[in-house]
Amino acid sequence: MHLLMSVIAFVIVIAVCVIVHEYGHYITAKILGVQVHEFAFGMGPAILQRRDKSGMLWSWRLLPVGGFCRLAGMNEEDEGESIISGRGFNEQSAWKRFLILLNGSAFNVLLAVLLMAIYLWGHGVLDMDSTRIGEIMPGFPSEQAGIQVGDEIQSVNGQTVSKWREMSELIRTESIKNPSLTLEVKRGEENLTLTVNVPNNEEYGRPMLGISPSYMRFGVFQALRNSASYTYRMTLMMLRGLAELVMGYQEADVTGPVGIASMSGHALRSGLWGFLSFISIIALNLGILNLFPIPALDGGRILFVLLEMILRRRLPEKVENWIHTAGFVVLISLMILVTFKDVYNIFMTH
């Protein structure tokens, strides 16, 4: 059952992230007047196809994993397809090609921001800036003392608290001295004094009152602002981690498709909101990593376009294609190696 859920979750994650990425290429190409041969949902043999008024082919393919956008003039023409003069990708000015290549990743980043904003608006995050209680754990001292969801703890043994971590640490240190604690609690308009016994919990190895913080939700605009800020910080963390990896400050811990499938299944089992935040993280990773100047990735193609802008001359198309092909072979080889490592780790941990 877990395996099936992991497969389903992986298909959903890849489909959403890749389709959005390819749509970024597609819509930019259409706006800039570049001919698009085909936009496909899924991979493998086509099961349903139709052409729109512009002559572009929309395809639904057998394997629901990702998709692709096939632009004219990128040496991917099928038999019988022709390129309208002046509308091929390679015929465009450098800045147009730059935008088309860039906007696949840009749409992934926008997806990450949007999904995280939905998460902050609909689900929220733990409110660590207050002492309001969001959950009472059954069987713990909090339940026995009559503490309720929504209560705000204002002091512990006479010491005023205003933030969750401050309160949690004080409860722990005070209960080690004496398990009997006096809590000042605000419940609505009432101020209550409760006495609670918080002994050491053998399972956790420390005193546990048995409470969790409440969730703080945001309005639409505040959620978007906080999401953009969070995405920016996550991007900096990713780049810093990659820099430390390249410089040898930390060991590589790379995960391939099998590892992502396993994490996808775990995220889906955690619930809709956990799965939504996971898709947001994967979308951001896909968007950022795809901009790295590696042949066969959008970032590698963007690098050639930028060099063309600077040097005022273009690398011969055959040479560029050879470099991208070589890069593609290296990437596939690395993916196979990482997938083998993921499978090995799964079997070793079971």
Side-chain angles (χ1 to χ4, degrees):
M1 185 63 181
H2 281 187
L3 177 60
L4 177 61
M5 187 170 286
S6 293
V7 171
I8 293 172
F10 178 72
V11 167
I12 294 172
V13 170
I14 296 302
V16 170
C17 292
V18 173
I19 289 296
V20 168
H21 181 95
E22 295 300 325
Y23 186 79
H25 292 315
Y26 160 77
I27 195 64
T28 309
K30 294 291 283 186
I31 290 171
L32 295 177
V34 176
Q35 182 183 357
V36 181
H37 285 314
E38 180 183 4
F39 192 99
F41 298 90
M43 306 294 284
I47 55 176
L48 182 63
Q49 293 182 316
R50 72 172 182 85
R51 290 193 183 275
D52 61 19
K53 294 179 180 179
S54 70
M56 193 193 84
L57 187 66
W58 293 89
S59 298
W60 285 263
R61 294 180 175 258
L62 181 62
L63 304 175
V65 182
F68 60 86
C69 173
R70 195 159 50 83
L71 303 180
M74 293 191 74
N75 300 314
E76 296 179 356
E77 276 67 37
D78 286 345
E79 186 177 350
E81 287 182 336
S82 60
I83 304 171
I84 300 172
S85 179
R87 293 187 59 193
F89 176 82
N90 287 328
E91 298 174 80
Q92 306 305 308
S93 58
W95 71 268
K96 287 186 177 181
R97 285 181 279 125
F98 173 81
L99 285 178
I100 292 170
L101 293 168
L102 176 68
N103 279 353
S105 288
F107 269 58
N108 278 138
V109 175
L110 287 174
L111 173 66
V113 171
L114 177 61
L115 292 181
M116 188 51 64
I118 293 172
Y119 181 89
L120 294 175
W121 170 75
H123 181 267
V125 292
L126 292 175
D127 184 6
M128 305 303 286
D129 290 328
S130 77
T131 59
R132 184 179 291 106
I133 296 168
E135 182 183 357
I136 303 295
M137 298 170 68
F140 279 78
S142 57
E143 183 182 50
Q144 297 161 10
I147 296 174
Q148 298 179 10
V149 170
D151 286 354
E152 291 183 58
I153 297 177
Q154 297 185 308
S155 73
V156 178
N157 285 352
Q159 300 180 57
T160 302
V161 290
S162 60
K163 296 185 183 297
W164 189 270
R165 286 192 178 89
E166 172 192 20
M167 176 202 67
S168 180
E169 183 61 29
L170 190 57
I171 289 174
R172 187 176 298 116
T173 55
E174 289 294 309
S175 57
I176 289 173
K177 298 175 189 176
N178 185 347
S180 181
L181 303 180
T182 300
L183 305 179
E184 296 291 336
V185 175
K186 183 177 182 181
R187 180 177 298 165
E189 299 300 319
E190 274 188 283
N191 290 313
L192 307 174
T193 300
L194 301 177
T195 300
V196 56
N197 190 53
V198 188
N200 188 64
N201 187 289
E202 293 183 4
E203 181 181 351
Y204 292 91
R206 64 181 186 275
M208 289 281 291
L209 179 59
I211 56 176
S212 298
S214 61
Y215 278 87
M216 176 173 54
R217 294 176 182 169
F218 300 90
V220 173
F221 294 109
Q222 193 177 5
L224 283 168
R225 185 172 65 250
N226 288 343
S227 175
S229 175
Y230 170 80
T231 303
Y232 174 72
R233 294 196 304 272
M234 279 289 293
T235 301
L236 291 182
M237 287 174 58
M238 285 172 54
L239 295 176
R240 190 178 299 118
L242 286 168
E244 291 176 356
L245 180 63
V246 171
M247 297 173 71
Y249 293 153
Q250 63 175 332
E251 294 183 5
D253 186 16
V254 183
T255 299
V258 174
I260 294 174
S262 177
M263 290 187 289
S264 299
H266 180 76
L268 184 58
R269 288 191 294 275
S270 72
L272 174 63
W273 293 113
F275 190 52
L276 196 71
S277 65
F278 179 77
I279 296 176
S280 174
I281 292 170
I282 294 298
L284 181 62
N285 274 267
L286 178 63
I288 299 302
L289 293 178
N290 204 50
L291 288 178
F292 274 68
I294 300 171
L297 297 182
D298 288 340
R301 297 182 184 278
I302 288 172
L303 177 62
F304 286 116
V305 174
L306 291 175
L307 288 174
E308 178 188 339
M309 290 177 172
I310 295 168
L311 302 175
R312 303 284 184 176
R313 56 180 297 185
R314 193 169 182 174
L315 194 70
E317 192 173 325
K318 287 184 178 180
V319 175
E320 185 177 338
N321 287 338
W322 182 88
I323 293 172
H324 289 308
T325 301
F328 179 76
V329 171
V330 172
L331 285 174
I332 291 298
S333 301
L334 287 173
M335 186 176 292
I336 292 172
L337 181 64
V338 171
T339 300
F340 176 80
K341 170 179 165 286
D342 286 341
V343 173
Y344 175 80
N345 288 338
I346 289 173
F347 278 103
M348 287 298 290
T349 55
H350 286 78

